[in-house]
Amino acid sequence: MIPPTSVIATTASVTQPKGNPPTTHLVQPKETLYSISKQYNVTIDEIKAANGDLLNNGLKIGQNIKIPASTGIATAVVSAPVVTKEPVKETPKPVVKEEPKASPKGETTIHIIEPKETKYGISKRYGMTIEELEQLNPQILTSFPIGMKLVVSGTTPLPAAHAETPTVSGIKQKEVTPTSSGKKYLQEYVVKPNETISSIATDYGMSESELLELNPELKRGVKTGMILRVPIISKKEVPVPAKEQGQGNLMKKINTNARKQLALLFPFNISKIESDTVNTTQARLKKDKFLNLTLDFYSGALMAIDSAKVLGLNIDIKILDSQETKSSSNVAALIEQNNLTTMDAIVGPFYQSNAEKLADLLTVSKTPVISPLSKEVGRKFPNLYQSMPSNDMLRSSIFNYMRAKGGNIIAVVDPKKGSIKQYIQEMQKGVRIVGLSEKGGFVADSLKALFQKDKLNYVVIASESTGMILATTTAMLNAQKDYQVQLVIMEPNETLDFEEVTLTRLTKLKLLYPSLSRPNETVEANQFDAKYKKLNKILPNQYAIRGFDVTFDTLLRLSQDKPFEETVLSNPSEQIENKFDYVLNATAGYSNKGIYILYYDTDLTIKEAL
């Protein structure tokens, strides 16, 4: 297990008003359940539950959907180490979990089991856990027949002994009475498409009869989404289903024999906060965006550390205050005071120049330094790992994708985008640029003249002019009866969010673009959101998820049976929203080329292009 982190914590809480009463939301163009859930700080499952059958056929523009009240109080925790000769060993303080409250006496609801219903589906519908449903209805432990009446609310609270233990994939672990298999520790597993009793039993090192003994409902067949009880085989090798794609081979070959050392360097700048006589901590948190970003990243990292504990990873972790700004940091002193040369890896600092300085100072010891957030391309060091793909990588990835598909690539470039035009001409040979009018306006015939009948015609648009975007997309829509066309952008374009450029227009042209992250609405991602919200009283933003992804990816790589630098080259991984696929730079160091190619589908969702 991971030992206590060497930190002394200074805490500061920011209290926000409790959630508002339930409201409604009119679905706008370009919105998804994912984006709406983030906007209102509720989970996707909570939105679905509040709207019953309304969302069975997906989200539609113009729908008026119910938004349940967000809950709780948001608390931010600032934590940094106090460096002493004998550091105080103290784990980050856990968030206290409240026991589920009993329903008022007499308010008991009965649910009759319908065909195709599962324990998972019923518990989600009524906002319960499966354990709560089974406690109220012990008879469903051995059978789950259609027509059975279930109590779905009552006066008996869930005992504290059954509190959930978070894990990385939303699996819950608890101790139960041994079965004939002799395996005492169990966890819950969500059945994925195309899995069978045989494949699941094999993945978890048990016989089919043992799996059936733990899950009598399997006698009626395996269904996607079912929640099954499966054993944890050992504390040194936690089994992961063969079809689990998230962590790739990193989860399949965990080795906990050798103890590893990891340092996390976060720019809390505690000394500045404590010496600030003008602003209170609460006031500073309200206006300091960088500090809030740091705390969000830190909260995600803590969830990764907790998941690593559950997996039994053998890693010592130090959380240190890098005391950094864009032009300065405390890395030199931290190396000396905390013996960072002995670390097996270090995540941070946040600013690229400081990460480069740390990597430079640790070149001799070859300590891997993971730059967690910067997309800058600076100096190269053999022990520096850029975990964020650069803007140049983003641009080249979309052109590589189009070429791999054998497409005819055409570019419409605004006269104001001279650097983009130069980039295409110098770096993307063979891309044909559409000629403009004398005044720099778009000419539809110039675009149509470059279309090819036998290929998919990718039209890359580089413009922030609403008029040019509308003219280009109109010409493409008119050409669809004769040609295959698809709209493409190389980087985020806020103009596409304007009302004049409708979502219908973009979905018809299947807007294609590169992205550092993906919208993830899988069961595992929703469970991660729910667990984060339970701990922090707010849904995770992109920095919290990034904190989890970078930290957990590093923890898994340290827990392999080969050196860290070998794992980054041989084992790509994919976490909640981020992909890690490292390549060795021509000069020195490593870069992450883990980029998603996404597109707008006609069902108003964003999908990954294959």
Side-chain angles (χ1 to χ4, degrees), residues 314-485:
N314 192 7
I315 301 176
D316 289 321
I317 299 174
K318 283 186 177 181
I319 299 176
L320 305 172
D321 185 354
S322 55
Q323 299 180 39
E324 63 178 300
T325 65
K326 196 167 186 178
S327 58
S328 66
S329 72
N330 193 38
V331 296
L334 289 176
I335 291 174
E336 181 179 352
Q337 295 166 351
N338 295 275
N339 199 18
L340 294 187
T341 56
T342 64
M343 293 292 117
D344 293 287
I346 299 173
V347 174
F350 279 18
Y351 284 111
Q352 181 64 19
S353 59
N354 298 328
E356 290 173 2
K357 180 180 179 181
L358 180 64
D360 188 15
L361 294 171
L362 295 175
T363 300
V364 175
S365 64
K366 299 181 180 180
T367 305
V369 175
I370 297 97
S371 178
L373 286 173
S374 176
K375 292 190 288 184
E376 295 179 18
V377 178
R379 294 186 296 159
K380 306 291 186 182
F381 296 94
N383 57 329
L384 182 60
Y385 297 77
Q386 292 291 144
S387 70
M388 286 283 279
S390 66
N391 287 327
D392 285 343
M393 279 190 166
L394 272 174
R395 287 179 177 179
S396 62
S397 68
I398 193 69
F399 285 100
N400 292 341
Y401 174 85
M402 292 185 288
R403 287 195 177 92
K405 294 297 181 181
N408 174 38
I409 308 174
I410 305 165
V412 178
V413 185
D414 194 296
K416 297 179 181 179
K417 298 286 186 179
S419 61
I420 297 292
K421 185 174 182 179
Q422 182 180 359
Y423 165 78
I424 293 175
Q425 290 173 331
E426 295 179 358
M427 306 301 296
Q428 302 298 338
K429 304 294 184 182
V431 175
R432 297 187 289 175
I433 299 178
V434 176
L436 304 177
S437 68
E438 292 182 0
K439 295 183 178 180
F442 171 78
V443 181
D445 288 342
S446 298
L447 174 61
K448 189 173 181 180
L450 299 178
F451 285 156
Q452 294 182 14
K453 285 274 190 182
D454 57 342
K455 291 186 176 181
L456 175 54
N457 296 279
Y458 293 107
V459 179
V460 182
I461 187 163
S463 175
E464 294 174 1
S465 164
T466 304
M468 181 171 280
I469 292 173
L470 288 174
T472 303
T473 53
T474 297
M476 293 177 67
L477 290 169
N478 292 336
Q480 278 188 323
K481 60 181 181 294
D482 299 314
Y483 300 93
Q484 299 178 67
V485 295

Side-chain angles (χ1 to χ4, degrees), residues 85-143:
K85 292 183 179 178
E86 296 181 1
V88 177
K89 300 247 177 173
E90 180 180 311
T91 54
K93 293 182 179 180
V95 175
V96 177
K97 300 179 180 179
E98 296 182 358
E99 291 187 12
K101 296 178 180 178
S103 301
K105 191 172 182 178
E107 293 186 10
T108 299
T109 303
I110 301 297
H111 176 88
I112 299 176
I113 301 175
E114 301 289 341
K116 299 183 180 180
E117 283 192 317
T118 64
K119 295 180 187 178
Y120 175 76
I122 294 172
S123 64
K124 285 292 182 184
R125 178 174 177 180
Y126 292 97
M128 312 167 66
T129 65
I130 291 179
E131 284 88 350
E132 289 174 312
L133 184 66
E134 290 176 339
Q135 184 185 10
L136 291 173
N137 304 275
Q139 68 275 22
I140 65 175
L141 288 170
T142 55
S143 63

Side-chain angles (χ1 to χ4, degrees), residues 13-284:
S13 299
V14 178
T15 303
Q16 298 177 348
K18 290 186 178 180
N20 296 321
T23 184
T24 58
H25 175 85
L26 186 65
V27 179
Q28 302 296 315
K30 306 181 181 68
E31 288 187 320
T32 64
L33 282 174
Y34 179 80
S35 66
I36 294 172
S37 70
K38 296 291 185 185
Q39 179 180 343
Y40 289 97
N41 186 30
V42 294
T43 65
I44 292 174
D45 286 340
E46 287 171 341
I47 294 177
K48 288 180 177 179
N51 288 276
D53 297 333
L54 180 63
L55 300 178
N56 283 354
N57 296 319
L59 197 64
K60 297 178 181 178
I61 297 174
Q63 278 182 321
N64 202 22
I65 64 174
K66 295 178 182 178
I67 304 296
S70 62
T71 58
I73 297 175
T75 302
V77 179
V78 182
S79 179
V82 175
V83 181
T84 61
K85 292 183 179 178
E86 296 181 1
V88 177
K89 300 247 177 173
E90 180 180 311
T91 54
K93 293 182 179 180
V95 175
V96 177
K97 300 179 180 179
E98 296 182 358
E99 291 187 12
K101 296 178 180 178
S103 301
K105 191 172 182 178
E107 293 186 10
T108 299
T109 303
I110 301 297
H111 176 88
I112 299 176
I113 301 175
E114 301 289 341
K116 299 183 180 180
E117 283 192 317
T118 64
K119 295 180 187 178
Y120 175 76
I122 294 172
S123 64
K124 285 292 182 184
R125 178 174 177 180
Y126 292 97
M128 312 167 66
T129 65
I130 291 179
E131 284 88 350
E132 289 174 312
L133 184 66
E134 290 176 339
Q135 184 185 10
L136 291 173
N137 304 275
Q139 68 275 22
I140 65 175
L141 288 170
T142 55
S143 63
F144 196 74
I146 295 171
M148 178 182 283
K149 293 182 179 180
L150 304 179
V151 176
V152 290
S153 67
T155 59
T156 308
L158 182 67
H162 289 268
E164 297 177 8
T165 301
T167 71
V168 62
S169 60
I171 292 173
K172 292 177 290 185
Q173 179 183 327
K174 63 179 182 178
E175 187 173 329
V176 298
T177 304
T179 63
S180 60
S181 66
K183 298 178 176 66
K184 187 176 182 181
Y185 288 94
L186 294 185
Q187 59 184 358
E188 290 182 348
Y189 173 68
V190 182
V191 176
K192 293 177 175 56
N194 302 319
E195 290 190 311
T196 64
I197 294 176
S198 176
S199 68
I200 296 171
T202 299
D203 288 336
Y204 285 93
M206 59 195 308
S207 67
E208 292 184 26
S209 60
E210 288 175 332
L211 184 62
L212 287 169
E213 182 182 353
L214 288 173
N215 305 276
E217 63 271 25
L218 281 176
K219 294 176 181 178
R220 299 192 298 275
V222 181
K223 297 179 182 178
T224 301
M226 290 178 70
I227 302 291
L228 303 181
R229 292 177 179 80
V230 293
I232 294 179
I233 294 177
S234 75
K235 289 293 182 182
K236 293 200 172 183
E237 185 178 359
V238 178
V240 173
K243 295 181 177 62
E244 185 71 47
Q245 297 298 315
Q247 288 79 37
N249 293 329
L250 294 178
M251 287 285 282
K252 296 178 183 177
K253 298 180 180 179
I254 290 176
N255 185 335
T256 61
N257 293 327
R259 182 175 289 261
K260 299 296 180 69
Q261 308 281 330
L262 172 66
L264 305 175
L265 273 56
F266 297 148
F268 296 121
N269 293 306
I270 293 296
S271 59
K272 290 184 179 180
I273 294 176
E274 292 177 339
S275 62
D276 189 342
T277 59
V278 177
N279 299 299
T280 64
T281 303
Q282 287 81 358
R284 193 181 185 97

